[in-house]
């Protein structure tokens, strides 16, 4: 993995300012600069991220926390955004679509508002449905949205899961918690792969179900992972991380939050697979690891197709922004990891890779392969 860290000093201030001016200059009312951009907004204890395609098409993934909408509004305004082409609601909780009325009322949806369908009995959900109106579109797992369709390098957004169901029909039937039903989107562009999965769960505990293990084989290796559920103890299980092995993780959590996100369990698991983390704030849980993690406020990711790399910029509102650059996994010759089977080296059974029980295997004992292991039998609750 290639990592270059640059802190702009006295001589670099002019360069940094120029970069920010280019990023903020609207093209046809949007923020195109010829690269794929992902803007992870510091919205507090919630999620809100803007994708801008190289040619200027925009997708807003969630929109911030109810009663704290000035944060996403001001950020989008500062970029020069006037509307968004698409909106994707990961799920229907207040910290993900709580600003739909305010944000989409000011920056309206031009084409479609994607969600998992169905109903949800909250005032926030009703406000969301009202503001998107006839643009509301129910996602079908496997559906793909194409941006910059006439470009040599289009941006593809594949919805690989919704309502705890994947394209081949596999489902976690006991998933009933709203977090478990989160939409999972995989973004690909010129070898870059990123995943946005809302508050997806990875543990069978309480009213949570393990959906991450079902979804992981449909995702494969990742360059960038928007850490599920703000880094809760119910997210980022071993099956998920051993399959996706993200180079970079984005932790969106609010200072002093009552949930104590991000948790040490999630952060330690991410560090164990070598993921470098960028936090919007220090949260209220695990400590920030020096040398590995960066607290950056608003975080911008830009993909350079020609250089086969992506850059993460933090401290956007600071006089001294910092840029870290990473090589793309595909450019490094690393093939997507989509093994068919998984097992514990200490057990007498094996599982299909998509089986939810894979998430219960300790990372130290987890093994995977394209062929079923000899002298082990298929777990009776996995089906061919």
């Amino acid at each position: 993995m290639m990592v270059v860290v640059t802190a702009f000093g006295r001589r670099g201030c002019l360069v940094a300012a120029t970069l920010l001016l280019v990023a903020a200059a609207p093209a046809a009312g949007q923020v195109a600069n010829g690269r794929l951009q992902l803007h992870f907004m510091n919205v507090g204890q919630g999620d809100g991220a803007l994708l801008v395609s190289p040619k200027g098409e925009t997708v807003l993934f969630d929109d911030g926390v109810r009663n704290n909408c000035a944060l996403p509004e001001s950020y989008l305004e500062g970029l020069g955004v006037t509307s968004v082409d698409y909106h994707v609601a990961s799920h229907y909780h207040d910290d993900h679509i709580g600003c739909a009325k305010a944000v989409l009322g000011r920056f309206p949806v031009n084409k479609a508002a994607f969600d998992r369908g169905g109903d949800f009995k909250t005032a926030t959900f009703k406000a969301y449905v009202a503001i998107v109106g006839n643009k509301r579109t129910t996602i079908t797992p496997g559906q793909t949205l194409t941006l910059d369709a006439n470009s040599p390098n289009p941006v593809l957004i594949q919805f690989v899961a919704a309502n705890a169901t994947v394209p081949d029909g596999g489902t976690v039937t006991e998933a009933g918690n709203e977090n478990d039903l989160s939409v999972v989107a995989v973004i690909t562009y010129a070898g870059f792969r990123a995943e946005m999965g809302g508050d997806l769960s990875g543990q069978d505990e309480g009213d949570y179900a393990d959906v991450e293990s079902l979804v992981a084989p449909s995702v494969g290796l990742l360059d960038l992972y928007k850490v599920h559920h703000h880094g809760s103890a119910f997210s980022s299980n071993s099956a998920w991380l051993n399959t996706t092995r993200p180079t970079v993780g984005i932790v969106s959590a609010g200072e002093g939050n009552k949930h104590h996100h991000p948790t040490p369990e999630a952060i330690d698991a991410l560090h164990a697979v070598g993921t470098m983390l960028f936090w919007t704030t220090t949260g209220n849980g695990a400590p920030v690891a020096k040398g590995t993690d960066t607290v950056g406020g608003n975080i911008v990711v830009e993909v350079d197709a020609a250089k086969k790399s992506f850059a993460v910029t933090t401290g956007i509102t600071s006089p001294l922004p910092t840029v870290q650059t990473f090589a793309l996994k595909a450019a490094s010759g690393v093939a997507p990891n989509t093994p068919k089977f998984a097992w514990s080296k200490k057990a007498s059974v094996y599982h299909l890779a998509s089986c939810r029980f894979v998430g219960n295997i300790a990372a130290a004992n987890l093994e995977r392969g394209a062929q079923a292991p000899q002298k082990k039998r298929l777990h009776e609750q996995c089906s061919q």
Side-chain angles (χ1 to χ4, degrees):
M1 178 179 69
M2 174 184 71
V3 179
V4 179
V5 181
T6 305
F8 295 99
R10 288 182 60 193
R11 295 183 64 187
C13 286
L14 180 59
V15 175
T18 302
L19 287 173
L20 291 174
L21 286 172
V22 169
Q30 306 302 327
V31 201
N33 67 1
R35 295 185 288 273
L36 174 65
Q37 304 169 52
L38 288 167
H39 296 254
F40 294 91
M41 299 179 287
N42 175 15
V43 298
Q45 181 61 23
D47 271 1
L50 178 73
L51 178 152
V52 184
S53 76
K55 291 183 177 293
E57 291 195 77
T58 51
V59 184
L60 186 61
F61 291 88
D62 293 332
D63 46 61
V65 185
R66 181 168 59 91
N67 298 328
N68 199 19
C69 302
L71 292 174
E73 284 186 80
S74 61
Y75 187 84
L76 294 171
E77 181 181 42
L79 285 178
V81 171
T82 56
S83 63
V84 293
D85 292 308
Y86 303 95
H87 181 275
V88 178
S90 66
H91 62 299
Y92 301 144
H93 281 158
D94 286 355
D95 57 331
H96 290 256
I97 62 166
C99 290
K101 181 178 179 180
V103 170
L104 300 182
R106 189 169 176 183
F107 310 99
V109 177
N110 294 326
K111 298 179 182 179
F114 295 99
D115 60 47
R116 67 173 186 81
D119 195 10
F120 199 64
K121 299 186 183 301
T122 65
T124 293
F125 174 76
K126 291 177 181 177
Y128 159 75
V129 171
I131 198 67
V132 299
N134 62 8
K135 300 291 187 356
R136 190 180 180 202
T137 305
T138 299
I139 287 167
T140 301
Q143 178 180 356
T144 299
L145 172 64
T146 302
L147 310 178
D148 297 355
N150 296 323
S151 167
N153 281 318
V155 179
L156 303 180
I157 302 173
Q158 184 183 22
F159 299 112
V160 301
N163 296 309
T165 301
V166 291
D168 65 3
T171 188
V172 178
T173 56
E174 64 269 37
N177 186 294
E178 178 63 18
N179 293 325
D180 296 339
L181 307 180
S182 290
V183 170
V184 178
V186 175
I187 302 159
T188 58
Y189 167 71
F192 173 79
R193 294 175 60 82
E195 188 264 0
M196 311 281 276
D199 284 356
L200 203 67
S201 307
Q203 302 293 335
D204 285 314
E205 186 174 337
D207 65 344
Y208 289 101
D210 177 12
V211 185
E212 287 180 335
S213 298
L214 171 73
V215 175
S218 299
V219 174
L221 288 182
L222 291 171
D223 296 292
L224 185 131
Y225 164 43
K226 196 290 298 178
V227 175
H228 296 153
H229 203 179
H230 322 289
S232 83
F234 301 103
S235 69
S236 304
N237 72 21
S238 59
W240 171 264
L241 290 177
N242 279 288
T243 299
T244 60
R245 306 191 73 84
T247 301
V248 164
I250 306 293
V251 179
S252 183
E255 290 184 353
N257 71 82
K258 65 181 181 181
H259 307 290
H260 301 289
H261 293 160
T263 62
E265 295 93 330
I267 297 302
D268 289 348
L270 285 154
H271 288 161
V273 295
T275 303
M276 294 189 68
L277 299 176
F278 293 84
W279 309 31
T280 54
T281 77
T282 55
N284 187 31
V288 179
K290 293 182 179 179
T292 302
D293 301 357
T294 302
V295 177
N298 299 308
I299 299 165
V300 177
V301 176
E302 292 187 293
V303 183
D304 190 321
K307 294 183 179 179
K308 298 182 179 180
S309 65
F310 68 101
V312 183
T313 304
T314 56
I316 306 300
T317 57
S318 164
L320 299 174
T322 299
V323 180
Q324 299 186 44
T325 304
F326 303 84
L328 300 182
K329 286 184 182 294
S332 302
V334 181
N337 181 15
T338 54
K340 186 175 180 181
F341 303 103
W343 59 89
S344 169
K345 61 186 178 183
K346 294 187 176 181
S348 60
V349 299
Y350 68 92
H351 309 272
L352 300 182
S354 60
C355 182
R356 63 188 178 87
F357 293 98
V358 174
N360 297 330
I361 302 173
N365 298 327
L366 181 64
E367 296 181 341
R368 296 175 179 272
Q371 303 296 324
Q374 296 182 355
K375 298 181 180 180
K376 293 182 187 285
R377 57 181 173 80
L378 180 65
H379 189 263
E380 60 186 10
Q381 294 189 50
C382 288
S383 63
Q384 293 282 12

